[in-house]
Amino acid sequence: MRQVVFAANWKMHLGPEEARAYLKTFFERSRLPDGRLPEGCEVWFFPPAVSLEAVAQALVGRSGFLAGAQNVYWEPKGAFTGEISAPLAAAAGARAVLVGHSERRHRFGEIDADTERKLSAVLEAQLLPLLCVGETLAEREAGNTLDVVTRQLEAALGRRPPAALQQVTVAYEPVWAIGTGRNATPRDAAEVHRAIRRWLAEHGAKSSRILYGGSVSLKNAAELLAERELDGVLVGGASLDPATWGELVRSTAA
Ligand code: 13P
């Protein structure tokens, strides 16, 4: 049976109170029978760190749901003002962590070597990494998409044994499609997903999941997910309204 992940990246939105209210509305309005997800479907929430505990607590006992952190620093503890570590995220209830999101790479100057260290820290804390990769518009137009994505995979994952790689989910998020209203076509996304899948298989991970992200909305989610190369979606803007997100999950999960 096909497994599909619906991942919501709230970015810098929704404090603890708002997060609790969001989840209440989500469960009321998503019309999931008994609040349960269809078989084979998972919903992951990536709230800002201050709301992680509220979200994790609201999801306790709900199968198929998990809370994750948007970012962690690679050291487990110490004098790193403003950062959170993977063990701290886990203590707040996180079970997954985004690594190398394009906003981390392009707005905060995160380099490939940082994603490698962060990914190690996430695995060390027994959390599930969701590694984000993707090219800029200039890189796509220069025909370098697969080179860039492969370089990002090599840097973060290239030296890991297959057992560790199996824990990793990859999200292909072309930078030019994030927050722009311009999504990749299912065909374009599938081409890159195939290359990522091949790379993972060559490194011993045959069953890793690959999500697509970048301007996914209620309008285009079904068309994108009809492409079997996509094991799910990672959604920013369209995940911020609980009713819209509930509808997106309910209408495309079936
Ligand atoms: P949008 O869905 O707002 O384009 O954001 C995508 C994203 O960055 C998810 O991580």
Side-chain angles (χ1 to χ4, degrees), residues 223-235:
E223 190 196 354
L224 282 160
L225 284 169
E227 169 51 66
R228 307 297 280 189
E229 272 295 333
L230 274 59
D231 300 312
V233 284
L234 176 55
V235 183

Side-chain angles (χ1 to χ4, degrees), residues 146 149-150 153 190-200:
L146 297 185
V149 166
T150 307
L153 291 172
E191 187 192 345
V192 181
H193 281 224
R194 263 192 292 278
I196 295 171
R197 208 175 295 286
R198 201 175 319 121
W199 189 95
L200 289 165

